[in-house]
Amino acid sequence: MPSAAHIEFLDRVVRLETLPWPRVEILLEKVGCLLIPVGATEQHGPHLPINTDTVIAERLCAFASGRTGVPVLPAISYSVSTGHTLKWPGTFSLRHETLIAEMCEMVSWAVGSGWRQVVLVNSHFGNDAPLRVAVDRLRLRHLGKLQIALVNSFELSPEIWNYFTSDAEDLHANKAETDLMLYLSPQTVHMEAVEDDPDRTVDKVFSYPVSQTSLNGVTGSPSLGTAAQGEWLFGLMGQALAELVDRARSESPPLPASEWAGSSDPF
């Protein structure tokens, strides 16, 4: 279970789906910023649950919401996991184009309702490319009405990135993810079944799906995972995300509107 220090913020999370529309309207006018956690439903080796990425994204956004008062939408739990192929059961994936379209439609609806800032918090490496395409389309489509950012949870700071990649650059179900899940959802972790598997992508020129690089769906050393390290890592990630959201709320385009008005997406 999360420590008392973290529960304080998790208890103050503003979950938008639990509110009636008049209260949503108040938040819209007062805050104007939304957090959207993006996870995945995919195999995570023989020891971690298939909702690992979703749990991490949702809990991080909850922590940041509790710290900042910025509301969080329900997590997106189905995304782009095609790189895991059908070798192991438990993976349920969308096409890249589907996730791009989903994000563009959902965020456009938010803009139409009056939300002015959106921060996508992603915890699955395979989502990075399609989410960046969605962000590129949305920032031009709604130029002057929307500020949008993509944040990968494993890249919130150099220290966090170095920790995530300490046992595998092509990380998946590795020590860091196991640390986090042992802390956040220990009842879903099966350490009796844990199996390490080395990173076989080092110095490779081409990109390979997981079925060509891993024997068991793992890349790294999850057997080294501990709940204590998960508590430390979650605190570091939560603090970094909360600080980023605080900065985002007061950020404006570097140049005045007179310099870029009328330069939105021509398509």
Side-chain angles (χ1 to χ4, degrees):
M1 291 294 293
S3 67
H6 297 160
I7 287 174
E8 175 189 356
F9 298 119
L10 293 174
D11 281 348
R12 300 208 305 257
V13 58
V14 184
R15 299 186 188 278
L16 210 64
E17 77 268 27
T18 67
L19 303 177
W21 74 259
R23 294 194 179 187
V24 172
E25 187 174 51
I26 292 171
L27 282 170
L28 172 60
E29 295 172 355
K30 182 179 179 181
V31 180
C33 183
L34 280 175
L35 295 174
I36 304 180
V38 187
T41 302
E42 62 181 29
Q43 72 81 20
H44 263 75
H47 68 296
L48 290 181
I50 63 175
N51 70 345
T52 290
D53 292 334
T54 304
V55 170
I56 294 170
E58 195 280 331
R59 292 291 187 88
L60 278 175
C61 284
F63 184 95
S65 175
R67 274 283 309 273
T68 65
V70 171
V72 56
L73 283 175
I76 294 174
S77 58
Y78 295 100
S79 56
V80 178
S81 300
T82 54
H84 289 275
T85 72
L86 294 172
K87 182 176 180 178
W88 304 278
T91 296
F92 298 86
S93 181
L94 303 179
R95 295 180 182 273
H96 296 75
E97 297 85 355
T98 305
L99 182 61
I100 293 168
E102 178 184 10
M103 294 308 308
C104 286
E105 291 179 17
M106 187 170 70
V107 174
S108 291
W109 192 272
V111 175
S113 299
W115 296 96
R116 302 177 296 278
Q117 296 177 325
V118 172
V119 179
L120 308 178
V121 181
N122 171 52
S123 289
H124 169 48
F125 217 119
N127 289 336
D128 181 73
L131 289 179
R132 288 190 183 281
V133 172
V135 166
D136 199 30
R137 291 181 181 177
L138 286 162
R139 65 177 183 166
L140 294 176
R141 183 178 300 171
H142 303 292
L143 192 69
K145 295 182 180 179
L146 172 71
Q147 292 173 298
I148 184 166
L150 169 61
V151 179
N152 288 322
S153 62
F154 40 83
E155 293 179 324
L156 279 163
S157 75
E159 182 180 10
I160 291 167
W161 173 247
N162 288 337
Y163 188 85
F164 264 87
T165 58
S166 61
D167 61 328
E169 288 189 16
D170 192 39
L171 64 100
H172 185 70
N174 67 332
K175 180 185 186 305
E177 290 192 333
T178 302
D179 288 337
L180 288 170
M181 291 302 286
L182 282 170
Y183 173 59
L184 295 172
S185 188
Q187 72 278 8
T188 66
V189 180
H190 298 270
M191 289 302 284
E192 75 281 358
V194 71
E195 298 175 1
D196 295 346
D197 205 39
D199 187 349
R200 297 180 176 88
T201 68
V202 178
D203 294 330
K204 294 295 186 290
V205 174
F206 296 107
S207 175
Y208 299 92
V210 184
S211 60
Q212 291 184 316
T213 63
S214 176
L215 296 174
N216 58 6
V218 167
T219 305
S221 303
S223 66
L224 302 177
T226 68
Q229 283 295 108
E231 179 178 1
W232 167 81
L233 181 58
F234 180 76
L236 195 67
M237 296 169 73
Q239 176 75 11
L241 180 59
E243 291 175 356
L244 181 147
V245 172
D246 272 334
R247 295 201 316 271
R249 292 182 64 185
S250 60
E251 186 175 293
S252 300
L255 293 176
S258 59
E259 296 291 338
W260 45 262
S263 60
S264 59
D265 186 352
F267 303 104

